[in-house]
Amino acid sequence: QSSNGLVESRWKIMVRMARGYLNEKQQPRTFWYFAIDNAARMMNMIPGRWKTQLTSPFQLVHAQKPSPKTWFQPFCIGFWTQDKDGGEKRSKSQSQSLAGIAIGRDRNTNAMLFYNPSNKQYYSPDSYKLDPSRLPHSVFPEIQYDGGLFCSLLCDQNKMPEPFPPGLRVAQTDANGHEKKGTVAVI
């Protein structure tokens, strides 16, 4: 028990990274597992000293250096071609593409894993295009940011709900409802 300091400090870093991922893209706590998974994956890519050489945990396990080409910004919007629904081919009048939230890597194929909140399905397309500038709730309004995982939100369940949870982006708008440049703030 007294030798767990390194493990606890790594866990704290991982939790902070996961909270940062969730807050940056305004994701609810239901995506907590995917945030922790990506934080652990990124921490395993960080080099450190082993015996006399500089290496990473990833390199020790897989006997090759990690590729930055596999890194991505978690919870960004992705688009891909989807010409079939189940076994049926889509007609020409139907949309030939789908959108989803990039949540991680597929364990079996190492392809990007997307979640589509509209139909509640997971996809691993062969090719895709990511749009890291858009927040997921702008494409999927059914996703509501709940403040992420902060202990202070769960201390007293009798309080009134917080209208602006910690980490919420707030922007000033003009009379027409357009966002003013440089006015985004995080509470």
Side-chain angles (χ1 to χ4, degrees), residues 7 25 35 51 90 96 142 174 183:
V7 173
K25 292 297 185 174
K51 294 187 180 179
R90 290 183 174 202
Q96 299 294 314
E142 61 268 18
D174 60 13
T183 61

Side-chain angles (χ1 to χ4, degrees), residues 47-95:
R49 199 158 289 286
W50 184 71
K51 294 187 180 179
T52 60
Q53 61 180 336
L54 191 62
T55 186
S56 67
F58 181 90
Q59 188 173 0
L60 291 173
V61 171
H62 299 287
Q64 64 182 8
K65 291 183 179 183
S67 173
K69 293 177 186 177
T70 62
W71 299 353
F72 71 100
Q73 188 176 13
F75 310 120
C76 60
I77 298 296
F79 302 94
W80 64 93
T81 303
Q82 185 76 19
D83 56 353
K84 290 184 180 180
D85 286 330
E88 296 182 27
K89 197 166 177 104
R90 290 183 174 202
S91 69
K92 290 188 179 187
S93 62
Q94 291 179 311
S95 173

Side-chain angles (χ1 to χ4, degrees), residues 4-20:
N4 285 343
L6 181 61
V7 173
E8 289 175 5
S9 70
R10 298 279 290 185
W11 176 248
K12 273 188 203 177
I13 293 169
M14 201 179 311
V15 167
R16 286 182 184 146
M17 284 174 68
R19 281 186 181 147

